[in-house]
Amino acid sequence: AHGEHEIGHPIPAETSKTATKRVLCRHFQRGHCERGTNCSFAHGEQEIGDPIPAEALLQKEVSDLKGAISVLTQERDQFRNQAQKLEAAQTSKAATKPPPSGVGAAIGSPPGAIFGLLFSGVSGISDTS
């Protein structure tokens, strides 16, 4: 409706947006159309302008939705694949880092390890008592 004045009034037939058959069915022209009366294409010049059956419109919508789902599924799978590759690359990068060294790396180690690190190479000092 374009305003309160149109609510509850039927749409005149000449202005309704009814889908009509505008193109000849190439399968019918070749001798066999599996859709038969539910085909959205004209089976002869006499059907040009006829309304497309509701079943044909529904089948088209279902087909379009299946196509959209297929595209979304492929995009999802590509995204997952890229995420797995990125995660594997990050894991590999972390695994190839050399272990930390120096006093900062020894924090959290037993006290003897820190003592040994501080005085390693100094003769006469040992961390064992």
Side-chain angles (χ1 to χ4, degrees):
H2 295 105
E4 292 288 329
H5 65 283
E6 290 184 1
I7 294 178
H9 298 285
I11 299 172
E14 64 273 1
T15 61
S16 68
K17 301 289 185 196
T18 303
T20 59
K21 297 180 180 187
R22 294 178 275 167
V23 178
L24 290 173
C25 175
R26 64 180 171 193
H27 300 290
F28 184 80
Q29 289 175 325
R30 292 179 185 151
H32 183 68
C33 175
E34 292 181 6
R35 295 182 181 171
T37 59
N38 286 326
C39 187
S40 58
F41 296 95
H43 289 179
E45 294 287 336
Q46 73 281 2
E47 288 188 12
I48 298 285
D50 286 357
I52 296 174
E55 178 70 22
L57 294 173
L58 182 60
Q59 286 176 351
K60 170 126 176 54
E61 285 189 36
V62 168
S63 176
D64 290 349
L65 288 173
K66 285 180 179 179
I69 289 169
S70 176
V71 168
L72 291 172
T73 300
Q74 289 174 354
E75 288 176 357
R76 181 207 59 205
D77 292 346
Q78 289 174 349
F79 177 77
R80 283 182 178 167
N81 189 23
Q82 289 173 347
Q84 289 172 346
K85 286 180 181 179
L86 179 60
E87 185 177 334
Q90 289 173 340
T91 302
S92 173
K93 193 175 189 180
T96 59
K97 282 185 178 179
S101 60
V103 176
I107 296 175
S109 300
I114 295 173
F115 181 83
L117 184 64
L118 290 174
F119 295 101
S120 62
V122 177
S123 61
I125 300 180
S126 171
D127 65 340
T128 55
S129 305

